[in-house]
Amino acid sequence: MAAIKVFGNPASAPTMRVILTLHEKNLDFEFVHVDLQAGEHKKEAFLARNPFGQVPAFEDGDVKLFESRAITQYIAHRYEGQGTNLLPADSKNIAHYATMAIGMQVEAHQFEPVAVKLVSEQVFKLKKGLTTDQAVVAEEEAKLAKVLDVYEARLKDFKYLAGDTFTLTDLHHIPTIKYLLGTPTKKLFTERPRVNEWVAEITKRPASQKILQ
């Protein structure tokens, strides 16, 4: 049995973020499904793993973690020599590492909150038989456009957001982008040539394909 366990739900972008990292690292793991509709993430057994009741939770032997971005960083460092290097090429270079850290912060605080609202309106509401609020979509798309304009400028000088190699900064975007590419919001990516090329590059990776299917 694999020492690594992921407790999550495959529809959850944070869960996919961790699974994607494990695939990039070619690591074996056990996936433990958490039924969100049944409220398993709010029950005592799961709250013992994450007191905030959010997926995913993670175990690697005696190491027990929650918060997807903390988990991906643990995996990237703990298994740095295995599979894809998800850190800067010179991970000991503080300036290069800080650049990646800035990218991760931008994803977490500028990109993801807006993107999640768009996914909620255009994907999960429809799955529940509810109607998309187009006013909310328009408002959030305007915010996302500003973020993607920053990305477009950044990608003029670099292949990836943290430099010329694929890192956690790029990986963290993939699960939510997966959902948005299936919505009208896709246009915000395709109408920016460098962003469009970056999205194509990061979503065609073998590890990405495993979660995008």
Side-chain angles (χ1 to χ4, degrees):
M1 183 176 293
I4 296 175
K5 294 182 180 181
V6 179
F7 302 80
N9 188 287
S12 153
T15 298
M16 285 192 285
R17 193 174 290 128
V18 171
I19 291 174
L20 178 55
T21 306
L22 291 167
H23 285 321
E24 285 284 359
K25 285 297 184 181
N26 298 320
L27 293 168
D28 293 330
F29 63 94
E30 178 185 352
F31 182 73
V32 181
H33 185 270
V34 178
D35 190 337
L36 301 181
Q37 290 189 332
E40 287 184 358
H41 57 308
K42 300 299 183 182
K43 295 180 180 178
E44 185 175 350
F46 186 80
L47 290 173
R49 303 184 186 282
N50 181 352
F52 298 103
Q54 297 174 319
V55 293
F58 175 89
E59 287 185 8
D60 184 8
D62 293 333
V63 176
K64 296 176 173 57
L65 303 171
F66 57 90
E67 292 295 342
S68 65
R69 294 173 185 84
I71 296 168
T72 62
Q73 290 179 75
Y74 165 82
I75 296 168
H77 284 278
R78 170 68 177 81
Y79 298 99
E80 184 174 359
Q82 186 166 340
T84 303
N85 177 31
L86 298 172
L87 303 172
D90 181 2
S91 62
K92 301 298 187 292
N93 184 307
I94 297 174
H96 292 177
Y97 195 90
T99 298
M100 184 188 76
I102 290 170
M104 290 190 293
Q105 289 291 311
V106 170
E107 181 275 331
H109 299 293
Q110 304 297 330
F111 176 86
E112 184 76 357
V114 176
V116 164
K117 289 180 182 177
L118 288 165
V119 171
S120 176
E121 286 292 336
Q122 298 177 100
V123 179
F124 292 117
K125 266 193 171 183
L126 297 181
K127 288 184 177 182
K128 296 175 181 178
L130 302 174
T131 302
T132 296
D133 187 331
Q134 294 299 337
V136 172
V137 171
E139 180 180 354
E140 299 305 322
E141 282 191 341
K143 295 176 185 176
L144 182 59
K146 291 180 181 179
V147 176
L148 295 181
D149 284 343
V150 174
Y151 287 10
E152 183 74 5
R154 173 72 178 168
L155 293 166
K156 179 180 179 180
D157 298 320
F158 300 99
K159 184 176 181 179
Y160 299 100
L161 289 178
D164 289 321
T165 58
F166 178 80
T167 67
L168 289 175
T169 294
D170 308 289
L171 181 149
H172 285 178
H173 289 78
I174 294 172
T176 310
I177 286 177
K178 167 204 168 182
Y179 281 119
L180 291 178
L181 291 180
T183 74
T185 299
K186 177 181 179 180
K187 66 181 181 294
L188 297 184
F189 299 102
T190 58
E191 66 191 17
R192 292 167 172 79
R194 296 182 185 91
V195 168
N196 189 47
E197 184 177 347
W198 168 71
V199 167
E201 188 71 25
I202 65 176
T203 56
K204 75 179 183 182
R205 298 177 65 83
S208 297
Q209 288 299 308
K210 290 181 180 180
I211 69 159
L212 296 176
Q213 294 173 351

